[in-house]
Amino acid sequence: MCLLHSPVFAQNELIVKDIAFRGNATFSQSVLQSQMTLKPKTFFKSLQFWNSNNREHEYSENILKRDLSRIVSFYHTEGFLQTKVDTFVVETNEDESDAKVIIHLTEGDSVTIRKLNIELDAQTEFDRQRCGSILNRIRGQFRLQEGLRYRDAWLQADTDLIYNHIANSGYAYVEITPRPQLNDAKNRLELTLVVSPGPHCIFGQIEVVGNERVPASAVIKQLAFREKEIFNQDAMRKSQAQIYQLI
């Protein structure tokens, strides 16, 4: 990374009035600025007297360098693995009280999903049929799609979707493991999601302990499940929320 900046100045007196980007074709300046700790001081913000002690507008090269790393990391999560910051320039006015930061970056090509596989690692034929049916039913709801750009947020959304449906069907120990294979030369990704549902479970005996102020019967009354029912993650979460309301 090549760092270009103006001569040394008193950083505690230099106020950033503008932050601009060059080379950002995919994301707007406002989106990239939202990843930064350093903020430009606009006219509206200068009128906010209650925020007069906020130092986010004061230039600091260390903070700016950390912000540049955050921007590169943001691009990586959005599927741009080759993004780099080429240079940054700090332009000051004559009395060196105000500054404009210009960031030059190269986005590079994004990673495209060439193939998306779902691999089911089930213990029994019952589990394979039950979980396989669930996966087939929700496959059309995946955010990750072949031919589209890869995004970390979409991977998280799809793993959450799989987890919730499997865990609500009796599988308390379900795990989803992404297994990526990237062709660096072509920026093409083959992604396999390995789904390990674990054993099929039912709710066992219910015992209440540690209830010093609330009777056990009141706690049990708040449960959204009963003994010998098939395990359901949503029922567990609902029960916890209702029990907390008793305290």
Side-chain angles (χ1 to χ4, degrees):
M1 180 187 298
C2 179
L3 308 180
L4 304 179
H5 52 84
S6 58
V8 177
F9 31 71
Q11 292 188 6
N12 61 335
E13 297 178 357
L14 187 63
I15 301 300
V16 175
K17 290 297 184 71
D18 188 21
I19 299 176
F21 292 86
R22 303 289 185 265
N24 54 312
T26 305
F27 301 103
S28 67
Q29 304 218 47
S30 61
V31 169
L32 296 180
Q33 285 183 11
S34 69
Q35 308 301 316
M36 303 177 65
T37 301
L38 190 64
K39 305 291 185 184
K41 189 170 186 178
T42 62
F43 174 74
F44 176 73
K45 287 186 177 180
S46 66
L47 300 178
Q48 297 177 346
F49 63 89
W50 61 86
N51 213 16
S52 59
N53 293 326
N54 193 328
R55 303 186 63 180
E56 65 182 9
H57 314 300
E58 293 184 7
Y59 176 78
S60 165
E61 188 168 301
N62 289 333
I63 292 177
L64 177 57
K65 288 179 180 179
R66 289 199 295 269
D67 283 344
L68 299 182
S69 295
R70 289 193 185 98
I71 290 170
V72 172
S73 296
F74 167 74
Y75 267 97
H76 288 177
T77 64
E78 293 291 331
F80 292 83
L81 302 185
Q82 299 175 348
T83 296
K84 63 178 181 177
V85 174
D86 300 311
T87 63
F88 73 80
V89 180
V90 180
E91 299 178 348
T92 63
N93 59 358
E94 292 184 0
D95 60 2
E96 294 188 349
S97 60
D98 297 340
K100 177 179 181 179
V101 179
I102 305 174
I103 300 168
H104 297 261
L105 56 85
T106 300
E107 288 187 341
D109 295 329
S110 62
V111 173
T112 301
I113 301 173
R114 185 184 71 82
K115 191 174 183 181
L116 178 62
N117 306 308
I118 307 296
E119 181 180 310
L120 180 57
D121 181 22
Q123 297 179 353
T124 68
E125 183 61 28
F126 171 82
D127 296 332
R128 278 189 290 273
Q129 291 184 2
R130 186 176 182 85
C131 295
S133 176
I134 294 171
L135 293 172
N136 289 335
R137 187 173 71 248
I138 66 175
R139 179 73 184 252
Q141 302 176 41
F142 288 179
R143 302 294 300 275
L144 295 171
Q145 297 290 335
E146 295 174 1
L148 297 183
R149 171 163 58 92
Y150 168 84
R151 295 184 65 216
D152 278 358
W154 289 352
L155 174 60
Q156 186 62 56
D158 289 347
T159 53
D160 287 346
L161 178 69
I162 294 171
Y163 177 87
N164 289 332
H165 278 80
I166 299 293
N168 284 336
S169 300
Y171 297 91
Y173 304 100
V174 57
E175 295 181 354
I176 300 100
T177 306
R179 196 169 62 199
Q181 289 183 311
L182 178 64
N183 184 325
D184 291 323
K186 297 183 178 180
N187 269 357
R188 296 293 183 267
L189 175 68
E190 180 173 344
L191 179 62
T192 300
L193 301 180
V194 182
V195 181
S196 304
H200 191 255
C201 304
I202 62 172
F203 289 109
Q205 181 179 353
I206 300 172
E207 182 179 357
V208 180
V209 295
N211 52 313
E212 298 179 357
R213 292 180 297 176
V214 180
S217 59
V219 175
I220 293 177
K221 192 174 182 180
Q222 300 304 313
L223 298 179
F225 59 87
R226 295 293 179 263
E227 292 182 17
K228 298 183 180 181
E229 289 183 350
I230 295 175
F231 177 83
N232 184 290
Q233 183 67 42
D234 283 350
M236 284 282 291
R237 291 169 179 164
K238 182 179 180 180
S239 300
Q240 290 174 341
Q242 293 178 163
I243 291 172
Y244 288 149
Q245 292 178 358
L246 296 175
I247 303 175

